[in-house]
Amino acid sequence: MGVMRKKSVLVILFLVLITLTSCKQASGSAVEETEKTILAGIGYNNQHSQYKGLERFKEIVEKKSKGALNVKIFHSGQLGDDRSMIESLQLGVLQVTIPSTAPLANFISEFLIFDYPFLFPNEEVADEVLDEEMGKRLLDLLPQQNLIGLAYWENGFRDLTNSTRPVSSMQDLKGLKVRTMESELHLSAFRKLGANPTPMAFGELFTAMQQGTVDGQENPISTIYLEGFYEVQKYISNTHHVYTPFIFLMSKPFYESLNEKEQKVVSEAAREAGKYQRKLNRKDTENYLQKLKDNGMEYTEITESSRKEMKKTIEPLLEQYTKEIGTDMVSDVYNAIENAQSP
Ligand code: KDG
């Protein structure tokens, strides 16, 4: 069994242990008999809006369920990376995780659509498309993977950082060792742009940049600041090449163990906390770019013509993914984006 698999098995055993302990505590008194524990794991640290959104979720759920449900939050990848936490949900040993949609696409390929470069023009259009019919259609694909999608949260527009040189156009990307999420599409897109990409779990990224295993990475500004990437990265470019949604996932076996009232509580809490998290993330993004510059990062504007050149270069690559996702689904997403922009 490989090291990673051993790690995942250890994490799962650890989770089962916690769950059993909570049940034991619960069986200690009749009142707590029905108490159910929601273990929630995320990849970012406890300064990020992803964590603060989960704290809001915890507050709402524990209040509205009058203590019948309680939430325990584990941040910074303590319970594994995105993929292993999604697998733990499928097994029912973890109840909630909120990954980017990119790792989820390894389980349900339709979610690859959110990695199409330059898909969303801004956050408002993304909110409308995700929260309406199109977003719901994608959530409906999750139960087949033993997952329930309760809401879309926001990771945000991804920008490129690196330790080697300013990047103002595609030419500057040539040969740059860029870490990407574990997404075939991201990998092939950066390769097509001339970079030398490496897929890697988020938890390994800081060390890889520190040791020079990779020159750069791409993440939203709040992540770049809150995870301290400015300590190991000199240059940032506002590529805004992908808007990444977070997706609030719940284990289907756990969701089905809840009564109707509890299911309503967790669903409404995930949506309400998501609206709070999006607002907080946008405020952070406004504040943190200046803080990155104050911490020594050199900021480079990417011109619209450079963005157009990148988009044109990647376009031919998308054909194979459109076939995998389904041409109807892809055109419906583009139509939904167009409709969301029309007055
Ligand atoms: O919890 C979220 C993170 O684990 C991850 O999805 C964030 O965008 C991300 C990345 O670059 O891996």
Side-chain angles (χ1 to χ4, degrees), residues 113 115-119 170 185 188-190 192-193 241 307-323 330 334:
I113 186 69
D115 292 321
Y116 276 35
F118 309 108
L119 180 76
M170 209 173 94
L185 198 161
S188 30
F190 271 95
K192 190 88 178 164
L193 291 172
H241 51 280
R307 266 199 199 89
K308 284 201 175 82
E309 185 192 13
M310 290 180 187
K311 193 170 178 200
K312 198 160 161 286
T313 307
I314 296 169
E315 223 121 57
L317 195 79
L318 300 178
E319 272 161 48
Q320 67 178 69
Y321 295 104
T322 298
K323 281 201 194 85
V330 173
Y334 277 101

Side-chain angles (χ1 to χ4, degrees), residues 296-312:
M297 288 198 84
E298 189 181 307
Y299 175 71
T300 306
E301 284 274 352
I302 299 274
T303 60
E304 261 327 295
S305 59
S306 297
R307 266 199 199 89
K308 284 201 175 82
E309 185 192 13
M310 290 180 187
K311 193 170 178 200
K312 198 160 161 286

Side-chain angles (χ1 to χ4, degrees), residues 6 155 206 296:
K6 266 196 193 125
N155 194 350
F206 189 91

Side-chain angles (χ1 to χ4, degrees), residues 41-44 50 77 80-82 85 97-103 155 158 179-182 200-203 205 217-220 223 229 244-246:
I42 53 174
Y44 285 158
Q50 185 189 43
D81 60 24
D82 287 329
M85 287 196 279
T97 190
I98 314 176
S100 299
T101 45
N155 194 350
R158 305 179 78 89
R179 172 267 178 179
T180 69
M181 288 190 281
E182 291 166 303
M200 189 184 291
F202 184 76
L205 174 54
Q217 63 84 44
E218 39 84 59
N219 250 290
T223 303
F229 287 1
T244 300
F246 277 143

